[in-house]
Amino acid sequence: MSRAIILRSISVRNSQNNLRKMSTDKELFQADISDDALLNHLFEESASLNVYDKSVLNLAAGAPGPDLFEPLPDMMKKAVQHRMEIEMNNNNYLFQYGPTAGLWGMREALANFLTTMYGDKVQRENLILTCGATHGLHLLVSSMLVPNGVIFVEEYTYMIALQLFKEFPNFRIIEVPFTDKGVDVEKLNSIAKDIKKDTNYNTSEYKPFWAIFYTIPNFHNPTGVLLPPDKCKQLVNVARELDILVVCDDVYNLLYYGDEKSPPARLFSYDRPDEDGYSKGHVVSNGSFSKILAPGFRIGWMEVPQRLAVKFRLSGIMQSGGSVNNVMFGIVQSLIELGLMEKHCDWFRAVYADRMKVFCGILERHLPDGCSFERAQGGFFIWLKVPVDAGPFLAWCAKRGGPGAVPAIRFRLSSLSTSYSKAAGDVTKSTNSDGASTSQALRLTIAFHNSATLAKAAEDLCNKLKTYMKETS
């Protein structure tokens, strides 16, 4: 039997076994990887996220689908050939330890690429190359925050970021209320002021910040919300006044589906050195190629103020290993210089825009009464509010072939630690800042499946919601 057949049979058997075991919303999102099973990809670790399982219409995982990888072998062939020809005439420096901030040529090419795509100037000297947004986030938290520091997070936020923060037990993780326009900046200001005056934080040249605010301002995960310009300005002012580092998870910024030529401005652009009130820089834009090229490249970048760029160039962990993923960055530099990266990103944006249009159009026509959502202007996600508890509904769907999604409670801090805003009560009640149950919403993604499959999934979701609502009313 061939290895490919063995892998397929293992995948099908694992999916069937996992589906039989799923009965509660908790089980839906538990992954057991302790046995180091033979896996083809990350999503086989959890049945609820296995978008490759064709027996289930799964709308849970925010990742590109295999059809979007089809151009990559030819693109890589051209880029590798281009780069290797350069290396043969350049002492093969690409294979040596690279400079700590990352390849100079790649950072120059990336700055030019982002300047074009953003419609706003990006400086090479502000870029630090990383292994992806999660690596960048880990570097920022471990390098910039005092040992007893505070991490502020939005009321709903990227669930894996919460897991990362949990691995730093000395940090306080504090939830900030979230509205349909993004984070409640006024509440962040008042909460942070109260927290800051309660404790002594010994900031220093090596650990310059007492607090970090982790946010996803553009095409938010999980809600798809875009933080308005007035709130962006207000947030930057709060960060300057209270000396907080705002870390923006900016992985969706280039996936804009609106009518304007350029995407909405990233928060970093509101904190420029030439503006009144600037104070050394308090915003970081943390980006990734995972959403605009492919996750398997494992590369990204941070756009940081100059004082932080200097710190990273002098960082022990960066100096010890040199530039991360040096060879891969060299190849992607060629993708950019050959014009292939911009073309690929434009194609991604067009494909995703169509998927969002198709999926949302069916939801708008067929959702039952009591359900609501706002069509996102970009990114991967749709935040669907439903009049039933999402967890039991999704478990019910799993026994009927899907569709799969992620319940709102998975994006809350309440399952990890006590938040400031709920300190006087029981955080396990899982209510949002408006008093509504956070169990009555779910996150859907348009990223993985093609438009035809998404149309089928949307219709199936609407029909199953109608049936479930009748059965449980």
Side-chain angles (χ1 to χ4, degrees):
M1 185 180 293
S2 71
R3 184 175 186 273
I5 293 174
I6 292 172
L7 292 178
R8 283 197 296 271
S9 64
I10 290 173
S11 177
V12 170
R13 186 168 65 249
N14 286 347
S15 296
Q16 292 171 341
N17 290 340
N18 284 330
L19 282 170
R20 280 195 292 268
K21 289 188 288 185
M22 290 190 301
S23 60
T24 68
D25 57 316
K26 182 177 180 181
E27 289 172 341
L28 272 170
F29 291 90
Q30 283 182 335
D32 182 8
I33 57 175
S34 59
D35 60 353
D36 193 26
L38 194 161
L39 303 175
N40 296 294
H41 50 80
L42 174 69
F43 302 114
E44 283 187 324
E45 294 179 1
S46 171
S48 62
L49 295 176
N50 193 357
V51 279
Y52 281 88
D53 180 4
K54 294 183 179 180
S55 68
V56 179
L57 281 170
N58 201 314
L59 305 172
D67 59 321
L68 296 176
F69 300 150
E70 290 175 3
L72 289 178
D74 185 58
M75 289 170 59
M76 287 295 288
K77 182 178 179 180
K78 293 175 181 177
V80 169
Q81 181 178 354
H82 178 264
R83 187 68 204 195
M84 292 307 105
E85 289 175 356
I86 292 174
E87 290 310 309
M88 286 188 290
N89 296 301
N90 193 41
N91 210 23
N92 292 309
Y93 287 135
L94 186 65
F95 302 103
Q96 186 53 271
Y97 289 108
T100 53
L103 284 172
W104 195 99
M106 173 57 188
R107 289 187 294 118
E108 181 73 7
L110 179 59
N112 292 335
F113 169 75
L114 292 175
T115 295
T116 298
M117 303 304 287
Y118 286 153
D120 184 61
K121 183 65 177 175
V122 175
Q123 304 284 353
R124 181 202 67 253
E125 55 268 28
N126 293 124
L127 296 177
I128 303 292
L129 303 186
T130 70
C131 297
T134 302
H135 176 233
L137 181 60
H138 191 277
L139 284 174
L140 288 160
V141 171
S142 60
S143 301
M144 299 297 163
L145 198 55
V146 296
N148 64 333
V150 178
I151 301 175
F152 297 102
V153 298
E154 292 157 330
E155 189 172 9
Y156 302 97
T157 193
Y158 176 43
M159 53 193 175
I160 308 301
L162 292 177
Q163 288 181 228
L164 186 155
F165 300 149
K166 184 180 66 172
E167 293 169 3
F168 293 88
N170 291 331
F171 294 150
R172 291 184 66 187
I173 310 172
I174 296 173
E175 195 175 80
V176 179
F178 195 84
T179 74
D180 59 1
K181 298 296 182 182
V183 64
D184 188 328
V185 182
E186 291 86 357
K187 290 289 179 62
L188 171 64
N189 185 37
S190 62
I191 291 171
K193 283 182 176 177
D194 287 346
I195 293 293
K196 188 176 184 181
K197 69 184 181 183
D198 282 345
T199 306
N200 181 36
Y201 300 98
N202 293 318
T203 57
S204 67
E205 176 187 355
Y206 300 101
K207 301 285 185 180
F209 292 99
W210 71 275
I212 281 176
F213 172 47
Y214 171 73
T215 180
I216 312 166
N218 287 20
F219 315 131
H220 182 263
N221 180 7
T223 68
V225 167
L226 176 67
L227 192 66
D230 61 323
K231 294 294 183 182
C232 289
K233 295 175 184 177
Q234 187 181 5
L235 177 54
V236 169
N237 288 335
V238 169
R240 291 170 175 173
E241 179 186 350
L242 298 178
D243 203 18
I244 293 172
L245 180 63
V246 181
V247 175
C248 301
D249 204 332
D250 279 346
V251 300
Y252 306 105
N253 289 27
L254 296 181
L255 300 178
Y256 168 61
Y257 316 136
D259 298 327
E260 300 298 326
K261 182 179 179 180
S262 299
R266 65 205 186 287
L267 190 70
F268 187 88
S269 67
Y270 290 86
D271 191 31
R272 294 192 181 280
D274 57 355
E275 292 183 348
D276 291 340
Y278 183 81
S279 176
K280 297 188 284 187
H282 286 82
V283 179
V284 170
S285 177
N286 193 21
S288 173
F289 282 91
S290 294
K291 306 299 189 286
I292 59 174
L293 184 58
F297 283 79
R298 301 318 309 141
I299 56 174
W301 69 90
M302 294 184 291
E303 186 181 11
V304 303
Q306 265 302 292
R307 61 166 169 162
L308 301 192
V310 171
K311 276 189 61 62
F312 280 118
R313 285 196 287 268
L314 298 175
S315 162
I317 190 171
M318 302 294 273
Q319 288 189 338
S320 176
S323 173
V324 298
N325 282 346
N326 210 46
V327 173
M328 186 58 72
F329 270 119
I331 295 170
V332 174
Q333 179 183 336
S334 288
L335 284 178
I336 295 173
E337 292 174 346
L338 293 171
L340 298 173
M341 186 65 226
E342 183 175 344
K343 181 180 178 181
H344 190 74
C345 191
D346 287 342
W347 176 62
F348 259 32
R349 190 165 53 241
V351 169
Y352 286 139
D354 181 70
R355 293 179 180 183
M356 183 71 76
K357 179 180 179 181
V358 168
F359 193 82
C360 290
I362 291 174
L363 293 184
E364 288 166 351
R365 292 191 298 273
H366 298 295
L367 275 174
D369 291 342
C371 301
S372 64
F373 74 99
E374 294 291 333
R375 186 182 297 206
Q377 298 179 47
F380 284 175
F381 305 115
I382 298 161
W383 188 243
L384 179 62
K385 297 177 182 178
V386 294
V388 295
D389 283 350
F393 169 65
L394 291 173
W396 180 89
C397 287
K399 298 173 183 178
R400 294 161 177 81
V406 186
I409 191 62
R410 288 284 295 161
F411 304 98
R412 289 295 303 271
L413 175 62
S414 56
S415 62
L416 299 180
S417 66
T418 302
S419 71
Y420 176 91
S421 56
K422 305 297 178 195
D426 180 6
V427 298
T428 61
K429 293 178 180 177
S430 301
T431 57
N432 64 22
S433 54
D434 297 322
S437 172
T438 58
S439 64
Q440 293 183 323
L442 48 92
R443 190 198 74 176
L444 308 165
T445 177
I446 54 89
F448 188 86
H449 300 292
N450 62 33
S451 293
T453 302
L454 285 171
K456 180 181 177 181
E459 291 179 1
D460 187 47
L461 174 64
C462 293
N463 290 334
K464 284 200 167 79
L465 269 169
K466 293 173 185 176
T467 300
Y468 185 81
M469 288 166 63
K470 287 181 181 178
E471 290 184 3
T472 56
S473 62

